Amino acid sequence: MTRDREIGRDARARALSRPRRRRTSRRAMPPRQATVCAQGAERAFEVPRTTPRDVTRSVVPPMYPSTTYARDENHELPAPSGRALCYARPDNPSVRACEETLRALERGEDCAMFSSGMAAVTAVLEGTLGDSDGTRTAALAPRRGYFAVRQKINEYCASRGIEVVTYDPSSYACDVGDEVVSSADARRREEGTSLSRTARAFAERFPSTVFGLIWIEPTANPTWDITDIGEAMQIVQEQRGVGCVCVDATVLTPICCQPLVQFGCHIVMHSATKYLNGHSDVVAGALITKECDATWEKILHHRKMSGPTMGSFDAYLLSRGMRTLDVRVRRQSKSAMYIAERLQELFDEWNGPRTTLRGIVLYPGLRRGEAVGGCSSESTYDAHAELLCPNGVYGGMLSIVLYIMNPNASDSSRVLKTAELARLFASKTRHWTCATSLGGYESLIEHRYSVECKPGEVHPHIPPGLLRLSVGLEDERDLFDGLQQSWTHVVASN
Ligand SMILES: Cc1ncc(COP(=O)(O)O)c(C=O)c1O
């Protein structure tokens, strides 16, 4: 072959392997999530600023503590982004800046901030169930998940005569918990208590009652059971009149999952106290809606009339926190995966027929396969996890469950002993602070049983040996070393 022909052939091969140049569109691509986080929606989208132009041209948007706004000579109110500013309870430019960023990150139509996550939950209840006459509306809520939200739904509905129907999040994690604590849940699940089966069975029994609200916590705190959000949307298609599917995405954040666009849910709720702020120094909540419909109007009306608004300094801090959301959550998720895998190896090496004290890791990103327990739902868990977090970013939360295999011990003595060992573990762990909450830059460890249960109680959902871990931004090897040392200490003291 001549050298020229060789060169020609190489050039053709190079041309074929080169990615085809796309025809450039005149329309600019919307900015990606990391850009929206870093710049805030106003700058990333080059939309008119909510705030008046600042004469100093400050790169950091100023904070607006003012509670009121001056009218001009024609008695007109200022409206820098098309929405008039009159009084700070419903409208504050610093709060509006947070709302625009979060709306863009979740790709919704509007966002409303609240003074806490629980205030946002209450607004959803008011908007979806508030004007029910109590006879034909029910709420569908999970049996496991953040306890204060479940309690709030129950209390709110009880006071208005609204029935709360509960379902089991489809889960692998809880099968492990059942083996450790009780088998009651496993039996109920066999009888069919998943979201869709529960909803269908209820509709058959009470055909004239509609679900005003379906509440979902896609990775249930603190066992990380995964709910198939698609099941809820199927129920919306099948049953006429379902009011609202609301997803508490506090733990996943829009970096892992965007329920409005992935599944078509109606509302996403966040405790912004956690990952969105990320610095453990703000209490706040948020709702993002897919559509500005009648339910959304009721939610905004509730906020305006009841006043659970966010302060401007908190809004300033939250905007600042969200600048690093993308980079924090990705890093925390990577570290959580590393720690979950190392812990699983540690427990796999240790657990055996001769060991009475054993350990399990619960993390949505861990492949379940058939490795643990031989449970029939193993591949369902993996499939749901992938659907939920298609980018393979599963968040920074995981749990360890310590448990004692001793068939001769009574349930309550086993529970007390396990709880004591778990508390010892938490108190001994270097680099982890023993405290509640989650989503900050610092790693936290918490014994949930001590928070949610009475001593010795056999709780159906909270194993006495469960330790909830919120992975921070420290080096993941230090974090794992701390946990490994604690495990060694606890094993030696058992
Ligand atoms: C999943 C989840 N939802 C809601 C809340 C309530 O949020 P807040 O404490 O901001 O009121 C929390 C708080 O821990 C939570 O973890």
Side-chain angles (χ1 to χ4, degrees):
M1 199 191 303
T2 66
R3 198 168 175 278
D4 278 357
R5 278 178 63 195
E6 231 174 88
I7 290 170
R9 204 210 239 172
D10 284 349
R12 261 199 311 282
R14 268 203 310 278
L16 284 175
S17 66
R18 210 179 290 145
R20 281 216 189 152
R21 197 187 282 176
R22 291 222 194 103
R23 288 176 64 194
T24 46
S25 152
R26 273 162 197 267
R27 280 183 40 206
M29 291 289 288
R32 291 168 179 82
Q33 277 189 318
T35 310
V36 178
C37 286
Q39 301 193 343
E42 287 176 294
R43 275 179 53 213
F45 287 94
E46 292 171 16
V47 292
R49 292 162 67 104
T50 329
T51 51
R53 279 263 166 236
D54 178 356
V55 287
T56 66
R57 299 174 68 84
S58 301
V59 171
V60 175
M63 198 187 92
Y64 291 88
S66 183
T67 55
T68 188
Y69 312 93
R71 292 174 184 269
D72 66 12
E73 58 278 13
N74 300 317
H75 210 252
E76 295 293 332
L77 288 166
S81 63
R83 201 157 111 177
L85 293 170
C86 177
Y87 183 57
R89 176 158 26 86
D91 276 309
N92 172 290
S94 303
V95 174
R96 200 65 206 143
C98 287
E99 290 172 339
E100 278 177 23
T101 300
L102 206 42
R103 182 200 57 71
L105 288 173
E106 290 287 7
R107 293 164 66 194
E109 209 171 310
D110 198 8
C111 169
M113 299 304 307
F114 292 83
S115 53
S116 70
M118 292 311 292
V121 174
T122 307
V124 173
L125 295 171
E126 286 288 336
T128 56
L129 305 171
D131 54 12
S132 148
D133 60 6
T135 51
R136 291 183 55 246
T137 310
L140 188 59
R143 271 193 201 132
R144 283 179 297 284
Y146 180 57
F147 79 114
V149 171
R150 289 188 294 110
Q151 191 176 331
K152 178 72 201 175
I153 295 174
N154 285 333
E155 286 174 4
Y156 184 92
C157 290
S159 69
R160 284 162 177 77
I162 298 170
E163 184 166 355
V164 181
V165 183
T166 58
Y167 65 88
D168 275 319
S170 52
S171 144
Y172 191 112
C174 100
D175 288 333
V176 178
D178 288 331
E179 198 187 301
V180 181
V181 189
S182 85
S183 58
D185 255 13
R187 272 203 305 278
R188 275 205 298 271
R189 228 183 349 275
E190 274 165 28
E191 288 158 15
T193 54
S194 70
L195 188 153
S196 55
R197 284 211 198 179
T198 306
R200 285 183 194 126
F202 186 80
E204 255 174 48
R205 277 178 53 215
F206 304 101
S208 59
T209 303
V210 293
F211 289 115
L213 172 66
I214 299 181
W215 190 271
I216 294 177
E217 197 178 318
T219 51
N221 181 357
T223 47
W224 321 118
D225 309 64
I226 289 182
T227 300
D228 178 8
I229 304 178
E231 270 191 27
M233 300 321 291
Q234 229 173 310
I235 294 301
V236 172
Q237 303 263 309
E238 282 172 23
Q239 297 181 11
R240 285 181 47 208
V242 174
C244 171
V245 175
C246 181
V247 175
D248 180 344
T250 299
V251 165
L252 288 179
T253 79
I255 309 305
C256 306
C257 173
Q258 295 169 306
L260 301 182
V261 281
Q262 278 173 238
F263 301 97
C265 305
H266 304 104
I267 290 180
V268 166
M269 176 259 152
H270 285 280
S271 162
T273 317
K274 315 296 182 197
Y275 286 97
L276 295 182
N277 180 53
H279 293 69
S280 307
D281 53 8
V282 168
V283 176
L287 298 176
I288 305 97
T289 186
K290 189 168 73 136
E291 280 172 22
C292 294
D293 54 11
T295 301
W296 187 247
E297 286 307 316
K298 285 185 204 166
I299 286 172
L300 293 183
H301 181 75
H302 162 79
R303 188 180 67 162
K304 188 172 164 184
M305 301 313 288
S306 300
T309 36
M310 192 186 187
S312 52
F313 184 57
D314 283 347
Y316 169 80
L317 284 178
L318 178 59
S319 274
R320 184 167 118 142
M322 283 196 290
R323 297 287 187 256
T324 54
L325 177 70
D326 186 87
V327 72
R328 276 189 286 106
V329 171
R330 285 177 196 281
R331 165 73 191 260
Q332 285 163 314
S333 300
K334 199 161 156 264
S335 298
M337 182 68 104
Y338 172 88
I339 292 166
E341 285 176 348
R342 296 289 84 72
L343 282 171
Q344 179 144 297
E345 282 166 18
L346 184 74
F347 294 142
D348 282 352
E349 262 176 40
W350 171 260
N351 295 344
R354 284 164 183 273
T355 51
T356 51
L357 176 66
R358 300 183 192 174
I360 296 168
V361 192
L362 309 175
Y363 180 59
L366 268 188
R367 300 279 92 194
R368 294 292 163 188
E370 288 187 272
V372 196
C375 154
S376 60
S377 63
E378 84 288 318
S379 55
T380 323
Y381 186 92
D382 287 348
H384 289 171
E386 272 176 35
L387 269 179
L388 194 60
C389 305
N391 301 333
V393 181
Y394 294 97
M397 295 302 299
L398 66 142
S399 294
I400 297 172
V401 185
L402 308 183
Y403 65 103
I404 296 173
M405 300 297 285
N406 182 356
N408 299 324
S410 75
D411 264 359
S412 70
S413 75
R414 199 149 55 120
V415 162
L416 285 169
K417 174 79 181 152
T418 314
E420 189 190 313
L421 286 175
R423 273 195 297 268
L424 178 70
F425 189 116
S427 66
K428 288 283 168 201
T429 310
R430 275 181 73 215
H431 306 303
W432 296 75
T433 303
C434 188
T436 196
S437 201
L438 54 105
Y441 56 78
E442 69 294 293
S443 291
L444 302 179
I445 184 166
E446 192 187 26
H447 183 229
R448 285 307 296 177
Y449 183 86
S450 296
V451 179
E452 292 187 45
C453 312
K454 294 187 198 80
E457 177 187 352
V458 180
H459 192 279
H461 312 311
I462 307 293
L466 186 143
L467 292 163
R468 188 180 75 180
L469 307 178
S470 170
V471 177
L473 295 174
E474 303 89 341
D475 190 304
E476 67 268 28
R477 292 163 299 184
D478 288 335
L479 294 176
F480 174 69
D481 287 349
L483 295 166
Q484 190 175 24
Q485 279 168 16
S486 266
W487 170 247
T488 311
H489 182 83
V490 166
V491 165
S493 73
N494 181 36

